[in-house]
Amino acid sequence: MLRRLLTRRWLTWLLIAIVWAVACVFLGRWQWHRYEAKSLSQHQLSDNYNAKPVGVTSILPHKDSTLSPDDTWRQVKLVGRYEPAKKLLVRNRPNDGTFGYELVIPFRQTDGPTVLVDRGWLDNGRTAAAPTSVPPTPSGTVTVIGWLKPGERATDNKRVPGQVSSINLDTIATLTKDDLLTGGYVLSRSEKPAPAATKHGLAPLPKPSPGTYAGINFSYALQWWAAAIGGILLMLYRCWKEEQEAVNGPEPAKPKKPKKVRIWDEEDE
């Protein structure tokens, strides 16, 4: 078999099998890395979402600090006052398949930087130009528990007074003339004292999706690696089969099975 394998034809097939195996190994590694990244992201989301709230400055110590993926959706606690005159509506925001607005307001902490807080979601009014009403902003000292999120990229949509098209922190800082923390904003989970209930009140935004199941990428990685081994084994088996036929002659043809006679065929005879 080794002599046959070293012939030009089978060396060509061996080279093809090796190229196939190398490609499968790299594709398997790609799927494995996707599995690791998804698994890490899902564990981080699960750990951060209900973790004990911490101060914002413990995660973003400077005004322009960048929020890392590891700290996204970390729970934080803010104590201070809202600036109701500077509230803005973020338009075209989805919530459970419906589009509306998100209400964002600068929050001046008692001890710390001013942070943009997303208080929640409002449905469109009779038209999409504005919500039916905007709930009043809590006055006095308020304690906010919420999740840290990174700001969004700026959009060049038409400017509407009192509204923005994305939660871009640099743009909002310019509009509100506030020295806002630009490394991230806070999506409110709760406020204390709790705001009074209103007919057209703020609705909470849904929990973030953890993404597609990471295990499927683990399965794909194993399949690609199995295909790498299988390609080489298949080529070696075909070479061995050809050698066996050359030494022992071709396998005898299997005898044909007698044709079964159907009952109605016997009746017709």
Side-chain angles (χ1 to χ4, degrees), residues 15-35:
L15 178 61
I16 293 171
I18 291 173
V19 171
W20 164 259
V22 170
C24 289
V25 167
F26 277 101
L27 288 168
R29 289 185 62 189
W30 171 60
Q31 289 292 345
W32 179 262
H33 291 151
R34 291 193 66 192
Y35 159 72

Side-chain angles (χ1 to χ4, degrees), residues 28-47:
R29 289 185 62 189
W30 171 60
Q31 289 292 345
W32 179 262
H33 291 151
R34 291 193 66 192
Y35 159 72
E36 287 185 319
K38 283 185 180 180
S39 182
L40 177 61
S41 176
Q42 289 166 5
H43 282 298
Q44 284 174 344
L45 174 58
S46 177
D47 293 343

Side-chain angles (χ1 to χ4, degrees), residues 15-218:
L15 178 61
I16 293 171
I18 291 173
V19 171
W20 164 259
V22 170
C24 289
V25 167
F26 277 101
L27 288 168
R29 289 185 62 189
W30 171 60
Q31 289 292 345
W32 179 262
H33 291 151
R34 291 193 66 192
Y35 159 72
E36 287 185 319
K38 283 185 180 180
S39 182
L40 177 61
S41 176
Q42 289 166 5
H43 282 298
Q44 284 174 344
L45 174 58
S46 177
D47 293 343
N48 289 351
Y49 196 77
N50 291 310
K52 183 179 178 181
V54 298
V56 173
T57 52
S58 66
I59 301 172
L60 299 172
H62 307 293
K63 173 182 172 292
D64 54 354
S65 297
T66 302
L67 182 64
S68 72
D70 293 349
D71 289 322
T72 301
W73 292 103
R74 282 284 300 275
Q75 277 208 115
V76 293
K77 179 179 179 181
L78 311 175
V79 179
R81 292 172 175 266
Y82 282 113
E83 298 185 329
K86 299 179 180 181
K87 64 178 179 288
L88 292 167
L89 293 169
V90 190
R91 58 184 180 271
N92 296 324
R93 307 295 282 196
N95 187 8
D96 196 22
T98 304
F99 282 83
Y101 292 84
E102 288 177 41
L103 177 62
V104 296
I105 307 178
F107 187 92
R108 189 176 297 278
Q109 294 188 89
T110 304
D111 183 16
T114 300
V115 181
L116 186 72
V117 173
D118 185 339
R119 294 193 62 218
W121 184 87
L122 292 165
D123 199 357
N124 288 330
R126 296 180 64 183
T127 69
T132 301
S133 65
V134 178
T137 305
S139 59
T141 301
V142 181
T143 299
V144 175
I145 303 294
W147 300 281
L148 265 178
K149 295 184 65 179
E152 301 169 358
R153 67 179 182 84
T155 57
D156 55 359
N157 294 353
K158 185 175 72 172
R159 178 83 175 89
V160 178
Q163 296 183 14
V164 289
S165 56
S166 69
I167 305 179
N168 179 264
L169 298 171
D170 289 322
T171 299
I172 292 175
T174 301
L175 291 173
T176 60
K177 296 180 173 58
D178 260 312
D179 191 24
L180 277 179
L181 185 76
T182 57
Y185 70 98
V186 174
L187 174 60
S188 176
R189 182 175 194 171
S190 66
E191 295 172 337
K192 188 177 181 180
T198 59
K199 182 178 179 181
H200 300 286
L202 290 160
L205 290 162
K207 182 178 179 179
S209 170
T212 56
Y213 176 54
I216 193 169
N217 298 100
F218 177 78

